[in-house]
Amino acid sequence: MAIANVNPTRMELTRLKKRLKTARRGHKLLKDKRDELMKQFLDVVKENKRLRLQVEEGVTRMYGSFIVASAKLGDAAVSEALMAPKTYGVLSVGRKNIMSVNVPLFSYEIKAATKSGEGGDDTDIYPYGFAYTTADLDLAVEESTALLPLMIRLAEVEKTADMLADEIEKTRRRVNALEYIMIPQFEAKIKEITLKLEENERATTTRLMKVKDMMLQAQYKN
């Protein structure tokens, strides 16, 4: 934002110096915030990479187990076995503040899928009997159940990374605006007013000296 032309007075000079001081303080605070955001962002990115590798490996194993189960039982039998789950998941969304950024915080809970909603077994992850199924289907269900919390955590971490990246970009723009536009403008304007005031002082001193000389000459003539 360009600084409007101001009168070269000491009052304006004092006001601009105060604004420059505030701009420098804000610049330092924003730089500290940017650096801390970068540190938090790098930690989140590392965790995101680790979780993504785990999820991709888990998904590969899970699909492999389902393919083997489908090959042995048939697609129709697998679909029928998984048709009526005994549990269901409840996802809650909260908020966590990281350097003034409210990132999501997911929590997941498994509950028994009973008609009354009470008295069920929330640890029974197999929605079928074991008489007409194979161990491959059991393994696929176990792997998918174990994979779900990782996927939820991965979604939380990826959203956090996106939000932190946006905040880092906003903070970087503010830092650059202060460092390369506002602060140099304040400094240039302060220098301009200072030079103008010094010039006025020199002109005033010259006039006073000239008046003094004229008064002395008039006194000698008398």
Side-chain angles (χ1 to χ4, degrees):
M1 182 180 67
I3 302 175
N5 293 328
V6 295
N7 295 325
T9 62
R10 294 192 179 280
M11 183 179 296
E12 288 295 338
L13 180 61
T14 302
R15 186 179 67 85
L16 285 175
K17 285 183 177 179
K18 288 181 179 179
R19 292 183 66 184
L20 175 60
K21 184 178 180 180
T22 302
R24 285 174 173 167
R25 188 185 302 118
H27 176 257
K28 182 181 183 304
L29 291 174
L30 284 173
K31 282 187 69 176
D32 292 342
K33 177 182 178 181
R34 182 196 62 188
D35 295 342
E36 182 61 26
L37 280 171
M38 282 298 302
K39 180 177 178 298
Q40 297 282 347
F41 177 75
L42 292 176
D43 292 340
V44 170
V45 168
K46 289 179 182 178
E47 185 178 5
N48 179 74
K49 182 178 180 180
R50 178 182 61 81
L51 286 171
R52 178 162 287 280
L53 289 174
Q54 291 181 355
V55 168
E56 289 177 353
E57 292 174 358
V59 168
T60 301
R61 290 195 302 269
M62 180 188 68
Y63 274 117
S65 299
F66 272 116
I67 289 173
V68 172
S70 297
K72 292 181 178 180
L73 298 174
D75 293 339
V78 172
S79 298
E80 183 178 354
L82 302 175
M83 189 175 298
K86 295 180 180 178
T87 60
Y88 69 96
V90 177
L91 180 66
S92 301
V93 181
R95 289 288 183 271
K96 180 174 65 173
N97 189 286
I98 300 179
M99 298 299 295
S100 74
V101 182
N102 290 321
V103 300
L105 188 63
F106 299 151
S107 59
Y108 177 72
E109 182 182 4
I110 296 179
K111 294 186 177 182
T114 59
K115 291 183 179 180
S116 61
E118 297 180 356
D121 185 2
D122 56 7
T123 62
D124 187 2
I125 62 174
Y126 306 104
Y128 49 79
F130 298 106
Y132 302 102
T133 58
T134 64
D136 300 293
L137 184 58
D138 298 345
L139 180 60
V141 171
E142 291 172 2
E143 289 172 342
S144 63
T145 302
L147 189 60
L148 186 56
L150 287 177
M151 295 179 70
I152 293 173
R153 176 59 181 165
L154 178 60
E156 176 187 311
V157 170
E158 287 191 342
K159 184 61 178 178
T160 299
D162 288 341
M163 296 179 71
L164 289 179
D166 290 341
E167 187 66 20
I168 289 171
E169 179 63 19
K170 292 177 183 177
T171 305
R172 184 187 65 82
R173 290 183 179 181
R174 292 169 185 162
V175 169
N176 290 342
L178 285 170
E179 184 173 351
Y180 298 110
I181 299 176
M182 292 192 68
I183 291 178
Q185 285 182 353
F186 283 134
E187 291 174 340
K189 202 65 180 178
I190 288 171
K191 183 177 181 181
E192 177 186 339
I193 294 177
T194 301
L195 292 175
K196 186 66 176 177
L197 290 174
E198 290 175 352
E199 181 182 349
N200 292 340
E201 287 179 359
R202 286 193 297 268
T204 301
T205 302
T206 302
R207 285 195 301 270
L208 290 174
M209 293 177 66
K210 187 173 182 180
V211 169
K212 182 179 179 181
D213 291 341
M214 292 173 63
M215 292 177 64
L216 289 174
Q217 289 176 5
Q219 185 178 357
Y220 290 146
K221 288 180 180 180
N222 293 332

